[in-house]
């Protein structure tokens, strides 16, 4: 954000400098354009008067195509200004210019004689210096004074190029500069002058040139001259910026304050902190609020799970520990008066409770490893795993396991060892809880978004009361046989790491059915969660 602000300030500074440069260029080109306009009029007057006094072939042959640019399909031939503020500034010229050794061309002098008074009148209004030179560069009319007449400008490069038929515009230093002038004065307060030299052409012949010069307006004086309009524009822009700032405050500051309140509510556990803020307007702030609400909800649920889990663990450990402690006290106080059978019974109870505690610790370690399992991409062919499990169950005499029809080439996104361990856990559960002679059937189905493997038995099944509690932590119906109630919890945690889950399917006649489900495409109305049986 700070980098963006800094970059924005840098861009604004560059734009400001660019604006100043463009404005300077515009002021110089405006001056050049005005001088071109005046020069064209003077050149046309001079040419029309001279045309009456000279014969064909008069003048110098033009070596340039001319200053104007023809427009296709039109008779217009405009002269475009070309100067820029960055152009080279030539040194100042002499004032007054030196006298010419050669006299002015008589016919040119006669044609230009009445123009001096006109040029002086124009100078009073436009402040432009205007001179008309003949084909030798000698001044034949001037806006300044009669002393300029007969002077020569042939030594100037721009005049020489104009007498060859080319339009020239240059920047020159002013001969004298008095320094800062009042903003309201007529002085242009600039150190450079714009010089424009227009050739006087008649076809391919050059009859002379018109030399014009004027100091362009400075940026400060231009701004001062237009101060009221600029002030009005500035006030409008200030109002727009103020409105945008208020809108930004409404769009950003209000949601940010709501986010601050949400974080405080989360810290204090207030219910308001677990719901996203309403109408945040800015999409990013809405996403941030939703993330905070989701994180807070997840942390709350995790905290409740940890508390419940700790309470269950404490309960599971308390019972065998109390039994061990009671048996030890009895043995310590009454061991001499007990028979050998009584002592053996108490020692057997201590051993059984110690073994139960050991199994609980082992199961808890397995659960911790399952919760922290990092999944790795893997694909497993289902058919070989199911056939191997059926053969293993038969070899160990655990239960009769048969494999139903399988879709050809069905694969699941689980490692082979994980799938095998989970299915073996379900087969073992069916053998332990299904009763004598239980039969287990392994089925598999595939879909476009995933597949599932079903372990179905024909045993006693699960009662409706237990179905409602089968997902409660540490719930087991085989506690006397050493059941910890953590087997399916561990299986569910392992599956969760791979984006899969364990489901208890609805009862269909006798027995129970569990499914290992890949993806989220299967929905059989089963309940999923931390499964314990």
């Amino acid at each position: 954000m700070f980098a963006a602000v800094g970059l924005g300030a840098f861009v604004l500074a560059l734009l400001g400098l660019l604006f100043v440069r463009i404005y300077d260029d515009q002021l110089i080109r405006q001056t050049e354009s005005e001088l071109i306009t005046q020069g064209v009029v003077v050149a046309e007057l001079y040419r029309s008067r001279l045309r009456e006094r000279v014969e064909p072939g008069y003048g110098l042959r033009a070596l340039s195509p001319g200053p104007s640019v023809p427009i296709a399909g039109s008779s217009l031939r405009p002269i475009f200004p070309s100067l820029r503020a960055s152009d080279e500034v030539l040194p100042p010229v002499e004032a007054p210019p030196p006298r010419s050794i050669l006299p002015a061309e008589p016919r040119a002098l006669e044609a230009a004689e009445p123009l001096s008074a006109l040029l002086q009148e124009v100078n009073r209004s436009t402040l432009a210096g205007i001179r008309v030179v003949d084909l030798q560069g000698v001044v034949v009319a001037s806006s300044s004074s009669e002393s300029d007449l007969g002077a020569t400008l042939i030594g100037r490069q721009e005049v020489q190029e104009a007498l060859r038929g080319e339009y020239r515009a240059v920047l020159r230093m002013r001969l004298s500069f008095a320094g800062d002038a009042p903003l309201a004065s007529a002085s242009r307060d600039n150190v450079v002058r714009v010089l424009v030299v227009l050739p006087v052409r008649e076809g391919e012949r050059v009859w002379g040139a018109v030399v014009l010069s004027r100091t362009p307006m400075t940026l400060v004086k231009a701004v001062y001259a237009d101060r009221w309009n600029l002030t009005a524009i500035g006030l409008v822009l200030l109002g727009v910026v103020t409105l945008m700032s208020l809108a930004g405050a409404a769009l950003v500051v209000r949601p940010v304050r709501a986010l601050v309140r949400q974080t405080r509510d989360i810290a204090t556990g207030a219910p308001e902190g677990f719901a996203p803020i309403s109408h945040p307007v800015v999409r990013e702030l809405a996403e941030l609020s939703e993330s905070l609400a989701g994180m807070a909800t997840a942390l709350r649920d995790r905290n409740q799970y940890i508390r419940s889990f700790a309470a269950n663990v404490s309960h599971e450990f308390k019972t065998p520990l109390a039994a061990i402690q009671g048996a030890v006290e009895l043995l310590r106080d009454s061991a001499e008066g007990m028979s050998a059978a009584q002592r053996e019974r108490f020692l057997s109870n201590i051993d059984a409770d110690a073994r139960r505690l050991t199994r609980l610790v082992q199961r808890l370690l397995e659960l911790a490893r399952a919760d922290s399992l990092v999944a790795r991409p893997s694909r497993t062919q289902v058919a070989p795993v199911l056939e191997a499990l059926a053969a293993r169950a038969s070899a160990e005499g655990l239960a009769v396991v048969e494999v139903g029809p399988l879709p050809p080439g069905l694969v699941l996104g689980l490692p082979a060892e994980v799938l095998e361990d989970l299915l073996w856990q379900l087969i073992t559960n069916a053998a332990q809880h299904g009763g004598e002679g239980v039969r287990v059937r392994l089925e598999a189905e595939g879909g476009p978004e995933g597949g599932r493997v079903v372990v179905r038995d024909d045993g006693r099944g699960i009662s409706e009361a237990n179905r409602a509690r089968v997902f409660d932590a540490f719930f087991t119906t085989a506690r006397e046989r050493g059941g910890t109630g953590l087997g399916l919890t561990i299986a569910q945690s392992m599956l969760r790491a791979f984006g899969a889950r364990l489901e208890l399917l609805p009862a269909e006649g006798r027995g129970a059915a569990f499914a290992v489900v890949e993806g989220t495409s299967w929905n059989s109305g089963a309940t999923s969660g931390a499964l314990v049986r």
Side-chain angles (χ1 to χ4, degrees):
M1 178 178 179
F2 290 106
V5 172
L7 180 61
F10 177 71
V11 170
L12 287 177
L14 285 181
L15 290 176
L17 293 175
L18 181 61
F19 169 77
V20 171
R21 173 59 66 184
I22 291 175
Y23 205 89
D24 278 341
D25 287 346
Q26 182 61 29
L27 290 174
I28 289 175
R29 289 182 179 179
Q30 179 182 351
T31 301
E32 181 186 359
S33 180
E34 293 172 357
L35 293 178
I36 290 173
T37 302
Q38 299 173 42
V40 169
V41 174
V42 173
E44 185 60 31
L45 286 174
Y46 176 63
R47 184 177 61 178
S48 63
R49 289 183 58 83
L50 188 57
R51 187 184 296 118
E52 300 172 355
R53 293 169 173 79
V54 299
E55 67 282 355
Y58 173 81
L60 303 173
R61 183 180 179 185
L63 302 178
S64 171
S68 57
V69 178
I71 297 178
S74 172
S75 60
L76 301 178
R77 301 176 64 87
I79 302 175
F80 295 107
S82 58
L83 286 177
R84 294 181 301 176
S86 58
D87 288 347
E88 179 185 4
V89 180
L90 302 178
V93 294
E94 299 179 70
R99 305 297 297 179
S100 174
I101 299 176
L102 300 174
E105 203 280 322
R107 289 168 291 183
L109 184 61
E110 180 183 355
E113 182 178 359
L115 295 181
S116 292
L118 174 64
L119 298 183
Q120 290 172 13
E121 193 64 32
V122 171
N123 174 259
R124 293 188 184 98
S125 300
T126 65
L127 306 181
I130 308 174
R131 295 185 178 96
V132 179
V133 299
D134 64 7
L135 50 82
Q136 300 175 85
V138 179
V139 177
V140 293
S142 175
S143 63
S144 56
S145 64
E146 296 292 335
S147 62
D148 276 356
L149 299 179
T152 180
L153 304 182
I154 196 64
R156 302 182 186 181
Q157 181 67 30
E158 59 269 23
V159 174
Q160 296 175 16
E161 294 176 358
L163 292 177
R164 292 197 292 266
E166 184 177 351
Y167 165 77
R168 284 290 292 160
V170 297
L171 296 177
R172 281 192 181 273
M173 294 289 294
R174 291 176 63 180
L175 187 63
S176 61
F177 179 62
D180 293 338
L183 291 176
S185 69
S187 173
R188 295 303 179 116
D189 195 19
N190 206 331
V191 297
V192 299
R193 288 179 69 84
V194 175
L195 274 79
V196 168
V197 186
L198 283 167
V200 180
R201 296 176 57 124
E202 178 67 21
E204 296 300 320
R205 311 297 292 183
V206 178
W207 289 357
V210 180
V211 183
L212 306 97
S213 64
R214 197 181 74 185
T215 304
M217 186 79 75
T218 62
L219 177 62
V220 175
K221 281 188 174 290
V223 171
Y224 178 78
D226 205 22
R227 58 190 180 279
W228 300 118
N229 289 335
L230 292 177
T231 301
I233 294 174
L235 291 176
V236 172
L237 291 177
L238 180 61
V240 171
V241 171
T242 302
L243 291 177
M244 291 179 63
S245 300
L246 293 176
L251 294 176
V252 178
V253 175
R254 184 185 63 81
V256 168
R257 288 177 178 172
L259 281 174
V260 173
R261 289 195 300 270
Q262 183 184 11
T263 56
R264 290 174 180 170
D265 291 339
I266 291 173
T268 58
E272 294 79 7
F274 299 94
I277 61 177
S278 60
H279 309 296
V281 181
V282 181
R283 180 174 58 85
E284 289 76 7
L285 294 178
E287 293 177 355
L288 177 59
S289 178
E290 292 174 359
S291 298
L292 285 174
M295 180 187 67
T297 303
L299 290 176
R300 180 188 60 186
D301 295 344
R302 190 67 175 174
N303 184 48
Q304 292 175 352
Y305 168 75
I306 291 173
R307 288 183 179 182
S308 175
F309 190 79
N312 288 327
V313 170
S314 175
H315 174 75
E316 292 294 324
F317 273 73
K318 186 183 297 183
T319 301
L321 285 174
I324 291 174
Q325 185 177 5
V328 170
E329 290 177 356
L330 286 173
L331 288 172
R332 182 182 292 121
D333 296 338
S334 308
E336 295 179 357
M338 291 182 180
S339 65
Q342 290 176 324
R343 287 196 299 271
E344 182 62 28
R345 189 179 74 235
F346 281 116
L347 289 173
S348 297
N349 291 339
I350 292 173
D351 179 65
D353 289 331
R355 290 178 183 275
R356 173 169 175 76
L357 288 175
T358 301
R359 284 194 298 273
L360 278 171
V361 171
Q362 290 175 344
R363 283 308 220 177
L364 289 173
L365 290 175
E366 292 174 5
L367 179 59
R369 284 193 294 269
D371 283 337
S372 60
L373 180 65
V374 178
R376 63 182 186 277
S378 180
R379 305 290 290 175
T380 299
Q381 291 282 343
V382 173
V385 174
L386 300 188
E387 293 169 357
L389 289 173
R392 177 181 175 183
S394 177
E396 295 184 9
L398 185 64
V400 177
V401 178
E402 60 181 21
V403 180
L406 301 176
L410 177 63
V411 296
L412 289 182
L414 294 170
E417 61 274 15
V418 172
L419 180 60
E420 185 176 348
D421 289 345
L422 293 175
L423 296 179
W424 183 252
Q425 174 73 35
L426 295 174
I427 293 172
T428 303
N429 282 357
Q432 291 177 351
H433 300 276
E436 189 70 23
V438 65
R439 301 178 69 87
V440 179
R441 181 177 177 84
L442 302 180
E443 303 171 350
E445 303 174 29
E449 299 181 17
R452 70 175 182 174
V453 176
V454 179
V455 179
R456 193 185 307 274
D457 65 66
D458 60 355
R460 291 190 294 264
I462 303 174
S463 67
E464 289 299 323
N466 286 344
R467 288 183 70 88
R469 298 183 57 200
V470 73
F471 303 111
D472 294 344
F474 291 97
F475 174 77
T476 179
T477 58
R479 194 177 305 277
E480 69 282 356
R481 297 195 299 273
T484 61
L486 291 175
L488 297 181
T489 304
I490 297 170
Q492 187 77 307
S493 296
M494 294 178 66
L495 287 174
R496 191 180 301 115
F498 294 93
R501 67 186 183 279
L502 196 59
E503 290 185 354
L504 173 60
L505 303 182
E508 297 179 0
R510 287 176 53 83
F514 286 88
V516 176
V517 182
E518 178 189 33
T520 58
S521 60
W522 296 95
N523 185 7
S524 59
T527 307
S528 62
L531 303 183
V532 183
R533 186 181 176 192

